[in-house]
Every structure is written in C-alpha cells, then in structure tokens.
Amino acid sequence: MREVAIVGIGQTPVGEHWDKGLRHLAVEAVLDAMQDARIKRADALYVGNMLGGELASQEHLGVLVADYAGLDGIEAVRVEAACGSAAAALRQAVLGVASGEIDVAIAVGVEKLTELVSKCTTSYLAYAADGDYEASVGLSFVAINALLMQRYMWQYRVGKDEFGAFTVNAHANAVHNPNAMFRRAISREQYARSKMIADPINLLDSSPIADGAAAVIVAAADRAAAFSEKPLRVAACSIGTDTIALDNRQDPLWLKGVERSARKAYQAAGVGPKEIDLFEVHDAFSIMAALSLEASGFAEPGTAVRLANEGKYSLGGELPICTMGGLKGRGHPVGATGLYQVVEAALQLRGEAPAAIQVEGARRAMAQNIGGSGATVITTILETMEGR
Amino acid sequence: MREVAIVGIGQTPVGEHWDKGLRHLAVEAVLDAMQDARIKRADALYVGNMLGGELASQEHLGVLVADYAGLDGIEAVRVEAACGSAAAALRQAVLGVASGEIDVAIAVGVEKLTELVSKCTTSYLAYAADGDYEASVGLSFVAINALLMQRYMWQYRVGKDEFGAFTVNAHANAVHNPNAMFRRAISREQYARSKMIADPINLLDSSPIADGAAAVIVAAADRAAAFSEKPLRVAACSIGTDTIALDNRQDPLWLKGVERSARKAYQAAGVGPKEIDLFEVHDAFSIMAALSLEASGFAEPGTAVRLANEGKYSLGGELPICTMGGLKGRGHPVGATGLYQVVEAALQLRGEAPAAIQVEGARRAMAQNIGGSGATVITTILETMEGR
C-alpha cells in the first residue's frame, strides 16, 4: 500500500451563504485547494454531503461538482455518512490513491443547511439516527445528546456549568479564525445564563447549523513534493462504527465507534494518544467532546470535563482541541465539517494558522469526524513529512 | 495494485416489497452474498442508495445496514451516484481491496421506490439531473429521454416501432429470471400499442420503478479460492463522467461518459468490445440501451436499433444484452440496479443462469451502470479465472 499525503487545502468561510448554492460553495473550496496544490486536473473527486437531496432537491453531487469545477470527465462520486460525510469522502480519496490506480484525488465536503427557511433542518438531521426506532418517535439529535449529558452528569457527578469549559475554549479560538462563523468570545457567565434547549443542553452547548465547503488534495507521498512545499503525510484515516441507535449500546457513555476508529488510526500511524500534538474533536455538543476525548484515550472515563476545566485542552495545554473554533465556534455545516477539521489540522502543521492560535511546534495532528450519535467515526492523523 | 475478485453474490427478488424496509432488503442481499462466499465477517461495507433520505427519511445507510447485518464495528459508508449508486459502491469496494488495506469488502445496492405512495417518486428521481437548470423547469427523466429518442429518430431516420426490439428481448429473458419483476413476454404488437408516456417514449420503453437489493463480496484475487469455487476476476471497474445537464453537451446523442468509462475499462482489462461475451446494458429507457451500445463500441453511431432488430443483442446473437431481463424486465430499483447487473453477469460466468437464458461458454462479461442522463457511468468487466 503506497503512502498518501495531503498536498493542497481549501475552504470557504462558514456561515449563512444566502447568495450561493451547493455547487458554488463546493467549487469554491475545490478550486482553492487545487490552487494550493498548483494543479489543473485530478483523477478522482469524492464529494461528502448529507442533505443535498432533502434541502436543495439535488442528489448526484459528485458529477455536479466535477462539472462546475471544470473537471470534465473525471471519476466522481458522492460519499455519505451523515455528519461524518466529509471525512468519509477523504477516506475514499486516500484508499483510491493508496491503491495505485488514482494518482491525484480531491475530497470536498459541502453542506448548505440554511438553504430553505421553510424546511425544518433539525428534522432532516435526525435522518442520521435510526429512522424506525429513534427519529420516528421524536428523538432529535439534541434530545439524544441531552440524554447522554444527563447520564454523564449523574454517573460521574459532574455539574452542568462545568461543561462550559469546552464552549469557552472553542469560542476563544474561533475569534482568530477568519473562516469561523462565531468570531466572538463567550464567558463562563454567558454560558451559565444561556437559553435551555433540551435539558441539560443549552444553546451554548450546541454547534450551529451552517453553510460551507472544505477540500483537500491527496497524492502519493513519494510524489508530494511536486505539489507542495509542505505536504503532510496521512498517517491514518480510519473508520470505526457502532450501532446506529443509542439504545442498542451496552454503555451509552462509552463511544465504541470512537474507540474502534481511534485504535485503528493509532495502529496505522504507529503512535499513541500521547504523541498527538493537537486534536480537532467533533464537538457537535459539549457532551460529545467529553465522550470523544475519553474513548480516544485522551482522558479516563468521567474525567474529560474536569481536565477541560484544568486547561489540558486549551491552547498551551497538553492537548489543544478545537484550535480554530471547533464545530461550536467555526460552525457545523454537517457534510463539510470533517474536511474543515482536516484543513485546520493541516494549517496548524504547516505553521499557517493565525498567530494567536498557532500550536507551536505541532508535528502530528488528529481530526475526528462523527456521523450520528457516535455510529460512524473517521479518525485522521496527519504528520509533517520531515523525519519520522 | 493487487487484483480483485468477486467471491460471493446475493440478491432479493425485484418488485414491490411492501412488507420490508430498506434495512431488511439490504441485509437480505448481504447475508445471501456472505453465505455464497462462506464468510461471517468482512472488513468494509459500501452501501449504494439514491433516495433513502427522500423516501424513507433515512440517511446514514452505511452503518444502519452494517448494524442490522450483524457486522458490528465494521467500516461502513454510503456511496451515491443517482441510478449509478450501486456500481459506484462496488468501485469503492474494489479500490479498498486493491489498496491492500481492506481484505474482504461487501458492496450492496438497495432501493425502495414503492416506500410511500403519497410521495411522487418521479420528482425525486429528477434529483439526479441538474436541479437548477433541468429539474426545476420540469424536465423529468422520462422527458429527458424522450428528447433524446426524438432526436435519434430524426437524425438517424429510425422508426419509433423499431425500438421495440429492446423491450421484446429484455422481457423474453426476464421470463426465466426468478428474481425479475416482469416475468412475461411482450410482443412487437403489444409494444406498438403501448400507452404513450412522453412522446415518443411509451410505457414499454420505460423500466419500472421497483424495490430490491443486490450484493457482492470482493477479495484479493490471489486469495479468492478460499471463498469460492468460481471466483471472478474484476478486470475493470471504471468510472467516467459527462456534464450533468444534457444541454451542455456538444452532441446529445453521443454519451461521452459512456465512452470514457468503457474506454477506461477496456484499457484496464486489456480487451476490446469484440472480446466481451455478454453485456448488461443500462436500459432505463430503450433509447439509453441504443446510445450506450454505440458509445461503448458495440455499434456504429445510429446503428444499434437496426442491429437489435437483426438479433445481434439477443440470446444466441453476437453480444447478448439484458440476459436476465435488464432494467426493463428485471426492474430498476435505482440505487441497487448496478449490482443486480453485476450479480447477473456473475451468474452467467459461473454458468449458474437459468438454463433457458444461460449464455453458453461465456468467459467475459461487461456490466454498465449509469447515473443521470449519462452523467456518471461505471463499467465493470468480469472474467472467469481459468487462464486469460
């Protein structure tokens, strides 16, 4: 299996793009990444997207984006794994290049959740859950996460307000990310006074729905220098899964999908959690950040919230997370999120993050994208190419 | 790149499955294929599906099917390319195994188009077209194909009734396929008297919407004997694309996506059209069969309809097509169709087709799955493993 590298990255700002459709956002990110990699053509295009059909009446996004990006005739497909769609698209690009059949591949994630005000996005997001046994009885994603958070607080005796550490950290970093949706800091007081959404989840526990697109170019590692001065080795891009429905899990607070995905990734990269310099965690809700940190091996069960309050996951701490704002601060355009995480990890490793949020000396970054309530998990580990 | 083989096949009957959901159909085909390959586990699952979100309020089918097939924890994603979704899923499975990172992969295509009578399936199928410039102005797929057929009849001076040869052939073969939706023969007279749908396309030019699932197991060719007595080499599984919208094509009667996909496939397999023993063509409408045969190199432009009438594409002819009924006779559960084609091609090469429709001495088969009006095309060439 040949080694694969990321040789180009691109993104649009995250926010409400009322003037652009899915194709325009995706093309913008693709062309941005192609320019970064100094390429005019590629061999394959993988488009991550969740709700194009429901919200924009558009399936078949692979060839649509190829067509509008000027990539006439290119191999192109769409990959979907709910909120994990973008990193799942990256996974296909990596396997394609690893196979030797594809030399240069583009992975782009795109989502437009503010497309139509008359449609209820929350209902459509529930299509990521088990339609017959969760969504159909009214269990939305905020409700699923509320159940998990309630259970966590009870089982580990953690106070509600302690979760604020995640939000405060994410927003503090988002302030400096020009592409983030919410570029303003949040105080612990604001968090504590925030409107309740689904007890105990308040507004500031919840990542915002948004529009956006992010893209990367991958190529064989041994040819990476032809495209980029700062190529990054894809040391791992691994998928692990769990039951789709929460109620089929033995321990709801242990995300087996995260454990499986992270374990595969560590094994592929030949490293452990201690050797990761920064972690773009899937903080769709603050409880998800805590559970992911624990199942990824960055905290013992029940300790992540305390560690967050002690500063372990802040800039300058042992393992900075959400360094560009995370899902909470940057925004969560679901089918694009996984590639925003990877693009941000790449910026950190290239030393190109805005100065105030650059993780000094970062050599190895991990990004983790989740579909559903931990059902599909894609963990990517990137490394700088000097030495190993 | 390591060689890949199909070592197991499975399918459900095609028809109206009012008693089963998407998950049940998919699981049935997956377990059927796993039994055929004598495996209890696999490394990855690729689920092809187009309209699960719109018609069954269910996205995230990768992990849903994995979960309900008892494949707990397996890597799983959904792949979508409109009506080409199933073969696009196979393509990902093939690349995964070719990469060396995945040893055994399952590709399944599933669709349930009769899910809800209150929803208009034709409108949703138009999500495969360009949403902004085709579907939104009322151009449904039958309308797109009617324009193509009209143009073909005018440009090549072909009479409407001559297209009946495709329908008659497809139904004649479907009679003997136990999994086909329409197991009855159609006469030229019945074709000529058939109800007009969108002039000049009549009811018997049109493949029926349907429910169904088909699956294959792929593994490294050098280990194929461990799973199957009759493994089949995947000599090619190649994607080519064209513009998504018809009006952006220079010559609407020349399917560039088909040409590109077929050319890639011939090159990968090291063969030409003359060396193909049977062809499962994407006859969503009879005009599509004609155009695909021409762009694949099985007929000169404008001659496919005449050749069909001369018997070239019937059983016993030079290149039998739709040997198990094709989309017209077997039925067209869109996101599953591409794998029905591959399963049928495999049955032929294994010598396991029903006696009346077995292509004698078949050694090499081609299947071609199309998304949209020729926008995404996946061409698969299978070969028996003895000699080459």
Side-chain angles (χ1 to χ4, degrees):
Chain A
M1 206 182 99
R2 66 174 173 177
E3 283 204 323
V4 177
I6 287 180
V7 298
I9 56 177
Q11 62 180 315
T12 75
V14 178
E16 299 186 11
H17 290 281
W18 296 95
D19 55 335
K20 288 172 189 161
L22 276 173
R23 75 184 76 190
H24 311 110
L25 290 169
V27 166
E28 203 174 307
V30 165
L31 296 183
D32 192 20
M34 289 177 71
Q35 188 170 32
D36 186 47
R38 302 174 298 212
I39 58 170
K40 298 238 181 289
R41 293 285 305 168
D43 302 310
L45 171 72
Y46 301 90
V47 179
N49 172 261
M50 177 181 176
L51 292 173
E54 291 85 343
L55 298 174
S57 301
Q58 183 71 64
E59 298 285 343
H60 214 181
L61 277 176
V63 71
L64 178 79
V65 175
D67 191 0
Y68 279 76
L71 298 165
D72 191 32
I74 192 176
E75 168 165 2
V77 293
R78 170 180 163 228
V79 181
E80 187 267 322
C83 306
S85 297
L90 173 62
R91 168 69 174 159
Q92 302 320 310
V94 167
L95 284 176
V97 173
S99 79
E101 190 168 337
I102 289 163
D103 285 324
V104 179
I106 305 170
V108 60
V110 62
E111 200 80 57
K112 192 152 163 45
L113 295 175
T114 67
E115 183 75 13
L116 289 172
V117 277
S118 63
K119 294 190 177 175
C120 179
T121 305
T122 304
S123 312
Y124 290 117
L125 288 171
Y127 290 12
D130 188 317
D132 291 355
Y133 301 109
E134 293 186 319
S136 62
V137 293
L139 203 58
S140 70
F141 265 93
V142 62
I144 288 175
N145 281 274
L147 290 172
L148 286 172
M149 189 165 166
Q150 198 73 264
R151 169 87 186 191
Y152 190 99
M153 288 165 58
W154 172 80
Q155 187 165 321
Y156 299 127
R157 297 168 193 276
V158 175
K160 155 74 191 139
D161 286 353
E162 295 176 52
F163 284 85
F166 291 109
T167 303
V168 168
N169 174 61
H171 276 255
N173 294 339
V175 166
H176 305 284
N177 175 2
N179 291 305
M181 187 167 186
F182 294 139
R183 300 192 60 189
R184 57 165 185 257
I186 295 287
S187 69
R188 293 302 286 255
E189 294 65 39
Q190 284 172 304
Y191 176 84
R193 280 186 284 108
S194 171
K195 200 164 63 171
M196 192 58 71
I197 304 293
D199 194 8
I201 288 184
N202 66 31
L203 186 66
L204 293 178
D205 283 308
S206 319
S207 61
I209 63 166
D211 309 332
V216 303
I217 313 290
V218 298
D222 58 10
R223 291 188 48 216
F227 305 102
S228 173
E229 273 111 50
K230 296 171 185 169
L232 300 168
R233 183 186 293 111
V234 182
C237 184
S238 308
I239 300 187
T241 58
D242 198 352
T243 64
I244 187 164
L246 201 59
D247 66 287
N248 284 328
R249 300 182 193 161
Q250 226 165 2
D251 178 358
L253 294 187
W254 187 251
L255 298 179
K256 262 197 188 170
V258 167
E259 182 194 8
R260 286 164 170 156
S261 169
R263 190 183 289 171
K264 275 191 197 176
Y266 293 139
Q267 196 174 355
V271 301
K274 288 206 186 320
E275 289 151 288
I276 303 296
D277 298 328
L278 64 104
F279 179 35
E280 291 305 329
V281 68
H282 192 91
D283 59 325
F285 297 94
S286 10
I287 180 66
M288 265 294 136
L291 296 179
S292 299
L293 284 162
E294 294 172 8
S296 295
F298 295 118
E300 292 297 311
T303 67
V305 178
R306 176 174 55 77
L307 292 169
N309 279 282
E310 290 171 3
K312 175 173 176 180
Y313 307 123
S314 307
L315 278 181
E318 198 181 313
L319 181 80
I321 66 171
C322 305
T323 65
M324 310 279 274
L327 280 62
K328 178 68 198 79
R330 173 234 302 128
H332 182 25
V334 296
T337 290
L339 279 162
Y340 273 103
Q341 295 177 306
V342 168
V343 165
E344 291 161 0
L347 285 170
Q348 289 287 4
L349 296 180
R350 283 161 46 154
E352 294 170 5
I357 47 176
Q358 175 68 51
V359 177
E360 288 310 320
R363 299 277 304 278
R364 186 178 291 114
M366 181 158 130
Q368 191 173 72
N369 189 198
I370 299 185
S373 52
T376 305
V377 185
I378 307 99
T379 305
T380 304
I381 298 178
L382 303 181
E383 299 171 344
T384 54
M385 305 266 293
E386 315 95 48
R388 174 140 84 156
Chain B
M1 207 183 99
R2 66 173 173 178
E3 283 204 323
V4 178
I6 287 181
V7 298
I9 56 178
Q11 61 179 317
T12 74
V14 179
E16 299 187 12
H17 290 281
W18 295 96
D19 56 334
K20 288 170 187 162
L22 276 173
R23 74 184 77 190
H24 311 109
L25 290 169
V27 166
E28 204 174 306
V30 166
L31 296 183
D32 192 22
M34 289 177 71
Q35 188 171 32
D36 186 47
R38 302 174 298 212
I39 57 169
K40 299 238 181 292
R41 294 285 306 167
D43 302 310
L45 172 72
Y46 300 89
V47 179
N49 171 262
M50 178 183 176
L51 292 173
E54 291 85 344
L55 298 174
S57 300
Q58 184 71 65
E59 297 284 344
H60 214 180
L61 278 176
V63 72
L64 178 79
V65 175
D67 191 359
Y68 278 77
L71 298 165
D72 191 33
I74 193 176
E75 168 164 1
V77 293
R78 170 179 163 228
V79 181
E80 187 267 322
C83 306
S85 297
L90 173 62
R91 167 70 174 160
Q92 302 319 310
V94 168
L95 285 176
V97 173
S99 79
E101 189 167 336
I102 288 162
D103 285 324
V104 179
I106 304 170
V108 60
V110 62
E111 201 81 57
K112 192 152 163 45
L113 294 176
T114 68
E115 183 75 14
L116 290 172
V117 278
S118 64
K119 294 192 177 175
C120 179
T121 305
T122 304
S123 312
Y124 290 117
L125 288 171
Y127 290 13
D130 188 317
D132 291 355
Y133 301 109
E134 293 186 320
S136 63
V137 293
L139 203 58
S140 70
F141 265 91
V142 62
I144 289 175
N145 281 274
L147 290 172
L148 286 172
M149 188 165 166
Q150 197 75 264
R151 170 86 187 191
Y152 191 98
M153 288 165 60
W154 173 79
Q155 186 164 323
Y156 298 128
R157 297 167 192 275
V158 175
K160 154 75 190 137
D161 286 353
E162 295 177 51
F163 284 86
F166 290 111
T167 302
V168 168
N169 174 62
H171 276 255
N173 294 339
V175 166
H176 306 284
N177 176 2
N179 292 306
M181 187 167 185
F182 294 138
R183 300 191 60 189
R184 59 165 184 256
I186 296 286
S187 69
R188 293 302 285 255
E189 293 65 38
Q190 285 172 304
Y191 176 83
R193 281 186 283 109
S194 170
K195 201 165 62 172
M196 193 56 73
I197 303 293
D199 193 7
I201 287 184
N202 66 31
L203 186 66
L204 292 178
D205 283 310
S206 319
S207 60
I209 63 165
D211 310 332
V216 303
I217 314 289
V218 298
D222 57 10
R223 290 189 47 216
F227 305 102
S228 173
E229 273 111 50
K230 297 170 184 170
L232 300 168
R233 183 186 294 110
V234 182
C237 184
S238 309
I239 301 187
T241 58
D242 198 352
T243 65
I244 187 163
L246 201 58
D247 66 288
N248 284 329
R249 299 182 194 162
Q250 226 164 2
D251 178 358
L253 295 186
W254 187 251
L255 298 180
K256 261 197 188 170
V258 167
E259 182 194 8
R260 286 165 172 155
S261 168
R263 189 183 289 172
K264 275 191 197 177
Y266 293 138
Q267 195 174 353
V271 300
K274 288 207 187 317
E275 289 151 287
I276 303 295
D277 298 328
L278 64 105
F279 179 35
E280 292 305 329
V281 68
H282 192 93
D283 59 326
F285 298 94
S286 12
I287 179 66
M288 264 294 136
L291 296 179
S292 299
L293 284 161
E294 294 172 7
S296 296
F298 295 118
E300 291 297 311
T303 68
V305 178
R306 177 174 55 76
L307 292 169
N309 279 281
E310 290 170 4
K312 174 171 177 180
Y313 308 123
S314 307
L315 278 180
E318 197 182 315
L319 181 79
I321 66 171
C322 305
T323 66
M324 310 279 273
L327 281 61
K328 178 68 198 79
R330 172 235 301 129
H332 183 25
V334 296
T337 290
L339 279 161
Y340 273 102
Q341 296 176 306
V342 168
V343 165
E344 291 161 0
L347 284 170
Q348 290 286 5
L349 296 181
R350 282 160 48 154
E352 296 170 5
I357 46 175
Q358 175 68 51
V359 177
E360 288 311 318
R363 300 277 305 276
R364 187 178 291 112
M366 181 158 129
Q368 191 174 74
N369 189 199
I370 299 185
S373 52
T376 304
V377 185
I378 307 98
T379 305
T380 304
I381 298 178
L382 303 183
E383 298 171 344
T384 55
M385 305 267 291
E386 315 96 49
R388 177 140 81 153

